[in-house]
Amino acid sequence: MAIKYGKKKSKQHNILYTIITAITLCAVFLVMVNYLYNKAEDEAYENLHVQTKQVKDDLILQLTSDRENLSTMANFAAKLYSDGEDYNLLFQSFTPIGMIENIGILNKDNTFSTKAGTIDMSDILSFEEEKEKGTYISGKIEDVTKKGYRLIRSAVPVKVNDETVGILYGAIKPDKLAARYIGIVEELDAQLFVYEKESGNILINTINNNHENISFLKDRKYNDNYSYEKFMSSDKGFTSFKSAYKNETLHLHYSTIDEFGWMIAMGRYDSQALASTHARAMVFTLVFVVMLFIMFLYILIIITNERKLSAVTECASNVRKELLETTDGQNNIQDALIEVCTFAKSRSAIFFDTDGEFYHYIAPRYEEIMLSEKERQYFSAELFRYASVFHNKNNNTVNVMCIKADGHMLKTNPSFCHFLKEHGIKEVSLSATINRANHITILATINSKHRNRVRMLAEKVSACFSMALYNKNHLNKTELAATTDSLTGVLNRVVYKKDLIDFDKERPEKFSCVFIDVNELHFRNNKYGHAAGDEMLLYIANTLKEVFYGHKVYRMGGDEFLVFTQNIEQETVKNCIKQVISQLEPMDYHVAIGLSYRTQNTNTEEMVREAEIRMYEAKAQYYQNKEQKSISKSEDKGYVQTKTGILEIDTMLSVLKEHYNGIYRVSLDTDKAHRILMPAYLGYNEDEEHFSQLLSKYIYDTVNPDFHRAVMSFFNYDALKNQFIEGKTPKITYKKTNGETVILSVYKLDDSEMNTSNTLWVFAKD
């Protein structure tokens, strides 16, 4: 035995491959650079957000600390006031603290006391107005004690026994406030703006220009999705615009300082935010050029055999298609073996397993040397032995090998070597798949002309052969039993329930539902036996499959079938129904059929319900036409029953009364009705009363008063007709006086779009 395979290396210069590879690398590089810059921009914005928050938190902490210090001084001032002393002790003991440079107190008489003395502020400040403001911090305002000088005022009330007796002011110099953060933003390589939210007046501006209001940013050219208006109207966010000072984009993050009515914005230029990114891009560019050069050298030296790979891939695709796209395990494995044998240009191809499954294909010109059954068993046993030895040695799930009748085999296995030579077998290329249960499947070719290609092919498709065999023996039977009706072979209710959901999601065009009920099945079972009934159901099911070929046919119950059709016109469906009826007539089989066609607002379950109602009407009509009927009224049962002497009509009405309070066929033009099923107590007589009068009595006698107006809206027949024209089904849910919930639905019976007078009124129990 010789086990060997080598990869041939082609040295053909492939210009097209070179160009495609270079273009691909360029595209990858551009995508990487674009990703890098996008990520860098996101990181820059995130850093801005973090840095802005740090400055904002520090500013809030500083101003809050200053306010707390003022509150402490206000408490001391309140004690002095209570003791009848002046505020000189407070002013003399004060030293600048935090951001507060100086203090003063506005008295109730509008005088302003400071360390330097008392000033009358009657024309400048109003004690009553300041008292109403409570604790606050101002924007940049004029200093009341020094003209031409501006400051920020922090105010805290001085209270004695909950009465405000003065306002303590702490003066903050704007330039000192700005100086505190200039160093921080310079370290962050950023720009900082703090301004009043309402007026836009700037409190801190680290770019050292003379702008007093943030509106100077209004004339900037903002990038996509950003604008000055959005910037000013939002409490927080990001924005970017072209700078007027540099030929760069300035990125800003802004946020509200709610405690003080201020806004803070921090910005960085592209060159600041993306500096590290530019450096990395240069490194990437250099690496890309080197990599591209190496790739060109590699392509010039080593070119793979693409034709061989393409042929293997195409054959593998065909084999997979044969194995996995059909359910007939015998035929698809056989067809796949033909593909493998033809591709390998071999004498034959075989596939077998340890359970006794055996499939083979031999080229026509070699059929006269086909192995006999006994020879095949010996040949298979030897291949299994070699596969086991190779598996124990390599412990791989899939092992590909080549067995040759050469000198090595003559020494190790002379009998098998003589067998191979006797039957003209020079080599066997095989792929053995072994699972955990030591179940072995072998795919092999004999005397292949393209052994290297066969090896590549076997690696790709050997698992598919094993899967196809598994499907044949297990999965297909299970799936068939789970999804089809055992008697008729049509789909069962399990598939029906699943398809209901799928049809509502997909909403296929020209969609219809056909509900079929078999007439007189019970009668036939009783008279001829259940075998005759089964024969009848099977014949009807086969007729439905034939007529509605390509569409889904279900068995819903003992004698009920349902068909969903797609992408065919309503007239075509009606013709199919006529064809079903005509094919059943020679067998004296009869069915009741109801049809519903999807409109724009109808879901699939509503369609099934509508088709079922129409089927019941057709079933009732069938029995009415079959035998002279008599009508008897039963007050205790609460409904009128049609007696025909046939058991099915009694069964049908007993089913109906469990689900419906009443079913009527009503003409909206004449207001006349024909009952199918109705409550008996109304004393209904078709010749005496109009349907609207009967409905009016029903509403006042039976319907909960809370729902009177809603149900009476159905008296408007013109409105009902308009809903039919729009493709809608009028429907309402209401409660009766006994607490029972009822759903009233009105269906149009005529298929004509304009003829909307012939209707079916269904009072269904919820």
Side-chain angles (χ1 to χ4, degrees), residues 476-511:
N476 290 342
K477 292 181 181 179
T478 304
E479 182 179 355
L480 190 65
T483 60
T484 59
D485 178 62
S486 59
L487 173 64
T488 62
V490 300
L491 300 173
N492 59 18
R493 286 188 66 87
V494 175
V495 183
Y496 164 75
K497 291 291 187 182
K498 176 182 176 295
D499 288 346
L500 276 181
I501 300 173
D502 293 340
F503 286 138
D504 277 335
K505 290 180 180 178
E506 298 170 3
R507 298 193 68 82
E509 296 182 357
K510 300 176 183 178
F511 185 64

mmCIF file of all heavy atoms in Angstrom, residues 476-511:
data_model
loop_
_atom_site.group_PDB
_atom_site.id
_atom_site.type_symbol
_atom_site.label_atom_id
_atom_site.label_comp_id
_atom_site.label_asym_id
_atom_site.label_seq_id
_atom_site.Cartn_x
_atom_site.Cartn_y
_atom_site.Cartn_z
ATOM 1 N N ASN A 476 -35.850 11.592 6.130
ATOM 2 C CA ASN A 476 -36.968 11.761 5.202
ATOM 3 C C ASN A 476 -38.232 11.081 5.698
ATOM 4 O O ASN A 476 -39.331 11.626 5.591
ATOM 5 C CB ASN A 476 -36.584 11.222 3.820
ATOM 6 C CG ASN A 476 -35.558 12.107 3.155
ATOM 7 O OD1 ASN A 476 -35.387 13.251 3.538
ATOM 8 N ND2 ASN A 476 -34.858 11.577 2.165
ATOM 9 N N LYS A 477 -38.072 9.859 6.237
ATOM 10 C CA LYS A 477 -39.253 9.155 6.748
ATOM 11 C C LYS A 477 -39.877 9.898 7.925
ATOM 12 O O LYS A 477 -41.103 10.004 8.034
ATOM 13 C CB LYS A 477 -38.859 7.746 7.169
ATOM 14 C CG LYS A 477 -38.464 6.854 5.999
ATOM 15 C CD LYS A 477 -38.106 5.456 6.476
ATOM 16 C CE LYS A 477 -37.688 4.568 5.309
ATOM 17 N NZ LYS A 477 -37.315 3.194 5.754
ATOM 18 N N THR A 478 -39.027 10.409 8.798
ATOM 19 C CA THR A 478 -39.544 11.143 9.961
ATOM 20 C C THR A 478 -40.280 12.407 9.550
ATOM 21 O O THR A 478 -41.369 12.704 10.038
ATOM 22 C CB THR A 478 -38.375 11.506 10.900
ATOM 23 O OG1 THR A 478 -37.684 10.321 11.263
ATOM 24 C CG2 THR A 478 -38.885 12.210 12.138
ATOM 25 N N GLU A 479 -39.672 13.147 8.637
ATOM 26 C CA GLU A 479 -40.304 14.392 8.187
ATOM 27 C C GLU A 479 -41.607 14.112 7.469
ATOM 28 O O GLU A 479 -42.600 14.818 7.638
ATOM 29 C CB GLU A 479 -39.343 15.141 7.266
ATOM 30 C CG GLU A 479 -39.889 16.461 6.783
ATOM 31 C CD GLU A 479 -38.917 17.195 5.891
ATOM 32 O OE1 GLU A 479 -37.788 16.709 5.725
ATOM 33 O OE2 GLU A 479 -39.305 18.245 5.351
ATOM 34 N N LEU A 480 -41.629 13.046 6.637
ATOM 35 C CA LEU A 480 -42.838 12.715 5.902
ATOM 36 C C LEU A 480 -43.967 12.358 6.852
ATOM 37 O O LEU A 480 -45.114 12.772 6.679
ATOM 38 C CB LEU A 480 -42.543 11.547 4.950
ATOM 39 C CG LEU A 480 -43.627 11.216 3.921
ATOM 40 C CD1 LEU A 480 -43.791 12.379 2.957
ATOM 41 C CD2 LEU A 480 -43.276 9.944 3.173
ATOM 42 N N ALA A 481 -43.650 11.587 7.901
ATOM 43 C CA ALA A 481 -44.677 11.191 8.864
ATOM 44 C C ALA A 481 -45.180 12.374 9.670
ATOM 45 O O ALA A 481 -46.348 12.420 10.066
ATOM 46 C CB ALA A 481 -44.120 10.121 9.795
ATOM 47 N N ALA A 482 -44.315 13.358 9.916
ATOM 48 C CA ALA A 482 -44.687 14.495 10.768
ATOM 49 C C ALA A 482 -45.502 15.545 10.033
ATOM 50 O O ALA A 482 -46.211 16.326 10.661
ATOM 51 C CB ALA A 482 -43.431 15.129 11.352
ATOM 52 N N THR A 483 -45.402 15.587 8.707
ATOM 53 C CA THR A 483 -46.031 16.696 7.981
ATOM 54 C C THR A 483 -47.154 16.282 7.043
ATOM 55 O O THR A 483 -47.794 17.148 6.460
ATOM 56 C CB THR A 483 -44.970 17.441 7.153
ATOM 57 O OG1 THR A 483 -44.366 16.533 6.220
ATOM 58 C CG2 THR A 483 -43.905 18.034 8.046
ATOM 59 N N THR A 484 -47.399 14.998 6.865
ATOM 60 C CA THR A 484 -48.443 14.568 5.933
ATOM 61 C C THR A 484 -49.482 13.721 6.632
ATOM 62 O O THR A 484 -49.215 13.078 7.658
ATOM 63 C CB THR A 484 -47.836 13.761 4.763
ATOM 64 O OG1 THR A 484 -47.146 12.619 5.291
ATOM 65 C CG2 THR A 484 -46.863 14.595 3.964
ATOM 66 N N ASP A 485 -50.663 13.707 6.077
ATOM 67 C CA ASP A 485 -51.754 12.876 6.577
ATOM 68 C C ASP A 485 -51.499 11.440 6.157
ATOM 69 O O ASP A 485 -51.237 11.154 4.974
ATOM 70 C CB ASP A 485 -53.087 13.375 6.014
ATOM 71 C CG ASP A 485 -54.247 12.522 6.454
ATOM 72 O OD1 ASP A 485 -54.501 12.449 7.663
ATOM 73 O OD2 ASP A 485 -54.898 11.915 5.574
ATOM 74 N N SER A 486 -51.578 10.511 7.092
ATOM 75 C CA SER A 486 -51.200 9.126 6.817
ATOM 76 C C SER A 486 -52.123 8.450 5.816
ATOM 77 O O SER A 486 -51.693 7.571 5.071
ATOM 78 C CB SER A 486 -51.185 8.325 8.127
ATOM 79 O OG SER A 486 -52.466 8.365 8.751
ATOM 80 N N LEU A 487 -53.406 8.831 5.757
ATOM 81 C CA LEU A 487 -54.348 8.185 4.837
ATOM 82 C C LEU A 487 -54.267 8.753 3.431
ATOM 83 O O LEU A 487 -54.142 8.016 2.452
ATOM 84 C CB LEU A 487 -55.785 8.330 5.374
ATOM 85 C CG LEU A 487 -56.901 7.846 4.433
ATOM 86 C CD1 LEU A 487 -56.769 6.346 4.191
ATOM 87 C CD2 LEU A 487 -58.273 8.186 5.012
ATOM 88 N N THR A 488 -54.305 10.085 3.317
ATOM 89 C CA THR A 488 -54.462 10.714 2.002
ATOM 90 C C THR A 488 -53.153 11.210 1.399
ATOM 91 O O THR A 488 -53.095 11.472 0.198
ATOM 92 C CB THR A 488 -55.426 11.904 2.113
ATOM 93 O OG1 THR A 488 -54.858 12.885 3.001
ATOM 94 C CG2 THR A 488 -56.771 11.459 2.652
ATOM 95 N N GLY A 489 -52.117 11.410 2.227
ATOM 96 C CA GLY A 489 -50.846 11.900 1.701
ATOM 97 C C GLY A 489 -50.775 13.401 1.523
ATOM 98 O O GLY A 489 -49.747 13.929 1.091
ATOM 99 N N VAL A 490 -51.836 14.136 1.844
ATOM 100 C CA VAL A 490 -51.785 15.597 1.763
ATOM 101 C C VAL A 490 -51.200 16.134 3.061
ATOM 102 O O VAL A 490 -50.971 15.392 4.026
ATOM 103 C CB VAL A 490 -53.192 16.190 1.505
ATOM 104 C CG1 VAL A 490 -53.757 15.666 0.207
ATOM 105 C CG2 VAL A 490 -54.131 15.896 2.670
ATOM 106 N N LEU A 491 -50.948 17.439 3.121
ATOM 107 C CA LEU A 491 -50.379 18.050 4.315
ATOM 108 C C LEU A 491 -51.350 17.972 5.493
ATOM 109 O O LEU A 491 -52.580 17.987 5.299
ATOM 110 C CB LEU A 491 -50.028 19.512 4.032
ATOM 111 C CG LEU A 491 -49.011 19.736 2.905
ATOM 112 C CD1 LEU A 491 -48.879 21.217 2.596
ATOM 113 C CD2 LEU A 491 -47.659 19.151 3.264
ATOM 114 N N ASN A 492 -50.802 17.930 6.715
ATOM 115 C CA ASN A 492 -51.655 17.832 7.892
ATOM 116 C C ASN A 492 -51.793 19.179 8.592
ATOM 117 O O ASN A 492 -51.278 20.195 8.132
ATOM 118 C CB ASN A 492 -51.119 16.769 8.858
ATOM 119 C CG ASN A 492 -49.705 17.076 9.328
ATOM 120 O OD1 ASN A 492 -49.233 18.208 9.218
ATOM 121 N ND2 ASN A 492 -49.012 16.076 9.846
ATOM 122 N N ARG A 493 -52.484 19.183 9.737
ATOM 123 C CA ARG A 493 -52.764 20.430 10.450
ATOM 124 C C ARG A 493 -51.505 21.047 11.049
ATOM 125 O O ARG A 493 -51.463 22.251 11.296
ATOM 126 C CB ARG A 493 -53.794 20.195 11.559
ATOM 127 C CG ARG A 493 -55.209 19.989 11.054
ATOM 128 C CD ARG A 493 -56.203 19.964 12.205
ATOM 129 N NE ARG A 493 -56.277 21.246 12.872
ATOM 130 C CZ ARG A 493 -57.076 22.246 12.515
ATOM 131 N NH1 ARG A 493 -57.855 22.119 11.462
ATOM 132 N NH2 ARG A 493 -57.096 23.375 13.195
ATOM 133 N N VAL A 494 -50.469 20.241 11.295
ATOM 134 C CA VAL A 494 -49.209 20.799 11.811
ATOM 135 C C VAL A 494 -48.635 21.787 10.809
ATOM 136 O O VAL A 494 -48.240 22.905 11.143
ATOM 137 C CB VAL A 494 -48.201 19.670 12.098
ATOM 138 C CG1 VAL A 494 -46.849 20.250 12.509
ATOM 139 C CG2 VAL A 494 -48.735 18.746 13.191
ATOM 140 N N VAL A 495 -48.600 21.376 9.545
ATOM 141 C CA VAL A 495 -48.095 22.263 8.494
ATOM 142 C C VAL A 495 -49.049 23.434 8.291
ATOM 143 O O VAL A 495 -48.626 24.570 8.053
ATOM 144 C CB VAL A 495 -47.917 21.484 7.171
ATOM 145 C CG1 VAL A 495 -47.312 22.379 6.097
ATOM 146 C CG2 VAL A 495 -47.047 20.264 7.392
ATOM 147 N N TYR A 496 -50.357 23.154 8.397
ATOM 148 C CA TYR A 496 -51.364 24.214 8.226
ATOM 149 C C TYR A 496 -51.153 25.337 9.235
ATOM 150 O O TYR A 496 -51.164 26.526 8.872
ATOM 151 C CB TYR A 496 -52.751 23.613 8.367
ATOM 152 C CG TYR A 496 -53.859 24.615 8.592
ATOM 153 C CD1 TYR A 496 -54.340 25.404 7.544
ATOM 154 C CD2 TYR A 496 -54.421 24.785 9.854
ATOM 155 C CE1 TYR A 496 -55.346 26.337 7.749
ATOM 156 C CE2 TYR A 496 -55.430 25.703 10.071
ATOM 157 C CZ TYR A 496 -55.886 26.481 9.026
ATOM 158 O OH TYR A 496 -56.871 27.402 9.233
ATOM 159 N N LYS A 497 -50.937 25.002 10.500
ATOM 160 C CA LYS A 497 -50.740 26.023 11.533
ATOM 161 C C LYS A 497 -49.493 26.851 11.248
ATOM 162 O O LYS A 497 -49.488 28.074 11.422
ATOM 163 C CB LYS A 497 -50.618 25.357 12.911
ATOM 164 C CG LYS A 497 -51.907 24.720 13.414
ATOM 165 C CD LYS A 497 -52.950 25.779 13.742
ATOM 166 C CE LYS A 497 -54.168 25.158 14.391
ATOM 167 N NZ LYS A 497 -55.210 26.185 14.671
ATOM 168 N N LYS A 498 -48.432 26.195 10.814
ATOM 169 C CA LYS A 498 -47.198 26.918 10.488
ATOM 170 C C LYS A 498 -47.400 27.824 9.283
ATOM 171 O O LYS A 498 -46.957 28.979 9.264
ATOM 172 C CB LYS A 498 -46.075 25.924 10.218
ATOM 173 C CG LYS A 498 -44.764 26.556 9.768
ATOM 174 C CD LYS A 498 -43.728 25.492 9.481
ATOM 175 C CE LYS A 498 -42.450 26.133 8.936
ATOM 176 N NZ LYS A 498 -42.651 26.776 7.644
ATOM 177 N N ASP A 499 -48.086 27.314 8.262
ATOM 178 C CA ASP A 499 -48.279 28.094 7.043
ATOM 179 C C ASP A 499 -49.182 29.299 7.273
ATOM 180 O O ASP A 499 -49.055 30.314 6.578
ATOM 181 C CB ASP A 499 -48.866 27.208 5.940
ATOM 182 C CG ASP A 499 -47.839 26.224 5.398
ATOM 183 O OD1 ASP A 499 -46.655 26.418 5.696
ATOM 184 O OD2 ASP A 499 -48.228 25.277 4.685
ATOM 185 N N LEU A 500 -50.112 29.205 8.234
ATOM 186 C CA LEU A 500 -50.954 30.367 8.551
ATOM 187 C C LEU A 500 -50.094 31.571 8.913
ATOM 188 O O LEU A 500 -50.318 32.690 8.444
ATOM 189 C CB LEU A 500 -51.904 30.042 9.719
ATOM 190 C CG LEU A 500 -53.212 29.325 9.409
ATOM 191 C CD1 LEU A 500 -54.001 29.123 10.698
ATOM 192 C CD2 LEU A 500 -54.046 30.087 8.403
ATOM 193 N N ILE A 501 -49.083 31.339 9.751
ATOM 194 C CA ILE A 501 -48.187 32.417 10.170
ATOM 195 C C ILE A 501 -47.357 32.914 8.990
ATOM 196 O O ILE A 501 -47.191 34.118 8.776
ATOM 197 C CB ILE A 501 -47.273 31.921 11.310
ATOM 198 C CG1 ILE A 501 -48.120 31.481 12.523
ATOM 199 C CG2 ILE A 501 -46.282 32.997 11.722
ATOM 200 C CD1 ILE A 501 -47.321 30.817 13.617
ATOM 201 N N ASP A 502 -46.846 31.964 8.184
ATOM 202 C CA ASP A 502 -46.001 32.346 7.047
ATOM 203 C C ASP A 502 -46.771 33.164 6.025
ATOM 204 O O ASP A 502 -46.259 34.153 5.483
ATOM 205 C CB ASP A 502 -45.422 31.089 6.386
ATOM 206 C CG ASP A 502 -44.433 30.365 7.287
ATOM 207 O OD1 ASP A 502 -43.927 31.013 8.229
ATOM 208 O OD2 ASP A 502 -44.181 29.171 7.062
ATOM 209 N N PHE A 503 -48.023 32.772 5.737
ATOM 210 C CA PHE A 503 -48.817 33.493 4.736
ATOM 211 C C PHE A 503 -49.142 34.905 5.209
ATOM 212 O O PHE A 503 -49.222 35.829 4.404
ATOM 213 C CB PHE A 503 -50.099 32.731 4.413
ATOM 214 C CG PHE A 503 -49.888 31.509 3.555
ATOM 215 C CD1 PHE A 503 -50.553 30.323 3.819
ATOM 216 C CD2 PHE A 503 -49.004 31.548 2.491
ATOM 217 C CE1 PHE A 503 -50.352 29.206 3.032
ATOM 218 C CE2 PHE A 503 -48.800 30.430 1.702
ATOM 219 C CZ PHE A 503 -49.466 29.253 1.973
ATOM 220 N N ASP A 504 -49.352 35.081 6.517
ATOM 221 C CA ASP A 504 -49.628 36.436 7.023
ATOM 222 C C ASP A 504 -48.379 37.308 6.944
ATOM 223 O O ASP A 504 -48.474 38.518 6.757
ATOM 224 C CB ASP A 504 -50.137 36.364 8.471
ATOM 225 C CG ASP A 504 -51.625 36.068 8.546
ATOM 226 O OD1 ASP A 504 -52.335 36.389 7.574
ATOM 227 O OD2 ASP A 504 -52.077 35.506 9.558
ATOM 228 N N LYS A 505 -47.198 36.712 7.095
ATOM 229 C CA LYS A 505 -45.961 37.483 6.977
ATOM 230 C C LYS A 505 -45.664 37.819 5.517
ATOM 231 O O LYS A 505 -45.324 38.957 5.187
ATOM 232 C CB LYS A 505 -44.788 36.693 7.573
ATOM 233 C CG LYS A 505 -44.832 36.553 9.082
ATOM 234 C CD LYS A 505 -43.630 35.750 9.578
ATOM 235 C CE LYS A 505 -43.654 35.598 11.087
ATOM 236 N NZ LYS A 505 -42.516 34.774 11.572
ATOM 237 N N GLU A 506 -45.796 36.809 4.630
ATOM 238 C CA GLU A 506 -45.415 36.999 3.231
ATOM 239 C C GLU A 506 -46.487 37.729 2.429
ATOM 240 O O GLU A 506 -46.166 38.448 1.492
ATOM 241 C CB GLU A 506 -45.149 35.630 2.597
ATOM 242 C CG GLU A 506 -44.003 34.877 3.259
ATOM 243 C CD GLU A 506 -43.922 33.432 2.789
ATOM 244 O OE1 GLU A 506 -44.729 33.055 1.904
ATOM 245 O OE2 GLU A 506 -43.078 32.684 3.319
ATOM 246 N N ARG A 507 -47.780 37.530 2.797
ATOM 247 C CA ARG A 507 -48.919 38.115 2.096
ATOM 248 C C ARG A 507 -48.763 37.957 0.579
ATOM 249 O O ARG A 507 -48.578 38.925 -0.159
ATOM 250 C CB ARG A 507 -49.098 39.592 2.460
ATOM 251 C CG ARG A 507 -49.398 39.820 3.934
ATOM 252 C CD ARG A 507 -49.879 41.219 4.215
ATOM 253 N NE ARG A 507 -51.185 41.476 3.655
ATOM 254 C CZ ARG A 507 -52.329 41.125 4.226
ATOM 255 N NH1 ARG A 507 -52.330 40.459 5.346
ATOM 256 N NH2 ARG A 507 -53.469 41.414 3.653
ATOM 257 N N PRO A 508 -48.824 36.695 0.100
ATOM 258 C CA PRO A 508 -48.662 36.464 -1.341
ATOM 259 C C PRO A 508 -49.781 37.108 -2.149
ATOM 260 O O PRO A 508 -50.903 37.308 -1.664
ATOM 261 C CB PRO A 508 -48.697 34.932 -1.449
ATOM 262 C CG PRO A 508 -49.394 34.472 -0.212
ATOM 263 C CD PRO A 508 -49.066 35.462 0.844
ATOM 264 N N GLU A 509 -49.484 37.427 -3.402
ATOM 265 C CA GLU A 509 -50.461 38.070 -4.275
ATOM 266 C C GLU A 509 -51.457 37.043 -4.816
ATOM 267 O O GLU A 509 -51.152 35.857 -4.941
ATOM 268 C CB GLU A 509 -49.745 38.768 -5.430
ATOM 269 C CG GLU A 509 -48.847 39.919 -4.984
ATOM 270 C CD GLU A 509 -48.194 40.610 -6.169
ATOM 271 O OE1 GLU A 509 -48.406 40.142 -7.305
ATOM 272 O OE2 GLU A 509 -47.491 41.609 -5.941
ATOM 273 N N LYS A 510 -52.680 37.527 -5.153
ATOM 274 C CA LYS A 510 -53.728 36.688 -5.744
ATOM 275 C C LYS A 510 -53.894 35.409 -4.920
ATOM 276 O O LYS A 510 -53.787 34.299 -5.420
ATOM 277 C CB LYS A 510 -53.399 36.369 -7.200
ATOM 278 C CG LYS A 510 -53.263 37.611 -8.081
ATOM 279 C CD LYS A 510 -52.850 37.260 -9.477
ATOM 280 C CE LYS A 510 -52.654 38.521 -10.324
ATOM 281 N NZ LYS A 510 -52.192 38.206 -11.691
ATOM 282 N N PHE A 511 -54.175 35.594 -3.640
ATOM 283 C CA PHE A 511 -54.191 34.510 -2.655
ATOM 284 C C PHE A 511 -55.631 34.147 -2.331
ATOM 285 O O PHE A 511 -56.468 35.021 -2.094
ATOM 286 C CB PHE A 511 -53.457 34.978 -1.397
ATOM 287 C CG PHE A 511 -53.311 33.911 -0.344
ATOM 288 C CD1 PHE A 511 -52.559 32.774 -0.589
ATOM 289 C CD2 PHE A 511 -53.918 34.064 0.895
ATOM 290 C CE1 PHE A 511 -52.399 31.816 0.391
ATOM 291 C CE2 PHE A 511 -53.764 33.106 1.864
ATOM 292 C CZ PHE A 511 -53.000 31.975 1.613
#
